Amino acid sequence: MDHAEKARTLFLEGYNCAQAVFCAFDDLTGLDRDTSARLASSFGGGMGRLREVCGTVSGALLVLGLACGYSDPKDPKAKTDHYHLVQEFARRFREINGTIICRELLSGVRTKPGNEPEERTAEYYASRPCLRHVGEAAAIVDDLLSQREQAASANPPL
């Protein structure tokens, strides 16, 4: 099962959009399911149903941070390289969907106001593009990681 398929499966199991994407990469992050789900739990519904940045984007960026992020605040090249990767992810997601904002992605979808998550029913899944976005986000991460790996293989450090 590839990461996109795994992310869709996790979403259908009830994980929020951010959790579904982030947890799908447990083979890469090395984190257990409980830890991954907790780390990503705040980002579902565009950050706790605020409908801001799409949770699939947040989950994907968590993966990219663990896989390719920087930790030395005094390394401007690493920071620049990582921000370029983040922006490339966002560019690709926008190219497919026109936006990375949850409320814009859900435009035209009837949602229940408030902070309580909606019940996951067949109607819920059928009325939202979220399942598609979960798979798209995971596929973009896979593609970006593959490209980085290929570039590193072609240009090994001295």
Side-chain angles (χ1 to χ4, degrees), residues 92-100 105 132-133 136 140:
R92 291 182 187 196
F93 193 89
R94 278 189 192 107
E95 187 176 273
I96 296 167
N97 298 298
T99 186
I100 62 169
L105 292 164
R132 179 171 44 92
H133 298 321
E136 292 164 348
I140 294 168

Side-chain angles (χ1 to χ4, degrees), residues 3-68:
H3 291 119
E5 184 179 344
K6 187 173 180 181
R8 288 188 295 266
T9 298
L10 290 167
F11 186 73
L12 290 171
E13 287 176 10
Y15 287 96
N16 76 36
C17 46
Q19 290 172 319
V21 174
F22 188 60
C23 291
F25 286 87
D26 57 1
D27 62 312
L28 187 139
T29 67
L31 298 174
D32 63 86
R33 176 69 49 82
D34 184 68
T35 301
S36 293
R38 287 174 183 269
L39 279 169
S41 64
S42 299
F43 301 100
M47 296 187 287
R49 293 196 87 227
L50 290 171
R51 304 295 188 222
E52 297 294 338
V53 173
C54 174
T56 67
V57 172
S58 296
L61 297 183
L62 286 168
V63 173
L64 292 174
L66 277 175
C68 310

Side-chain angles (χ1 to χ4, degrees), residues 52-130:
E52 297 294 338
V53 173
C54 174
T56 67
V57 172
S58 296
L61 297 183
L62 286 168
V63 173
L64 292 174
L66 277 175
C68 310
Y70 67 95
S71 59
D72 181 354
K74 295 181 178 162
D75 186 349
K77 181 177 177 352
K79 190 175 196 176
T80 298
D81 290 348
H82 188 64
Y83 286 0
H84 173 78
L85 184 64
V86 167
Q87 290 175 16
E88 179 60 15
F89 175 89
R91 184 194 69 73
R92 291 182 187 196
F93 193 89
R94 278 189 192 107
E95 187 176 273
I96 296 167
N97 298 298
T99 186
I100 62 169
I101 304 300
C102 177
R103 80 174 74 68
E104 294 170 5
L105 292 164
L106 291 177
S107 177
V109 175
R110 188 175 171 164
T111 60
K112 189 169 68 172
N115 58 3
E116 291 184 30
E118 295 181 52
E119 186 180 352
R120 297 287 185 95
T121 63
E123 182 181 299
Y124 173 94
Y125 290 112
S127 68
R128 284 169 172 67
C130 306

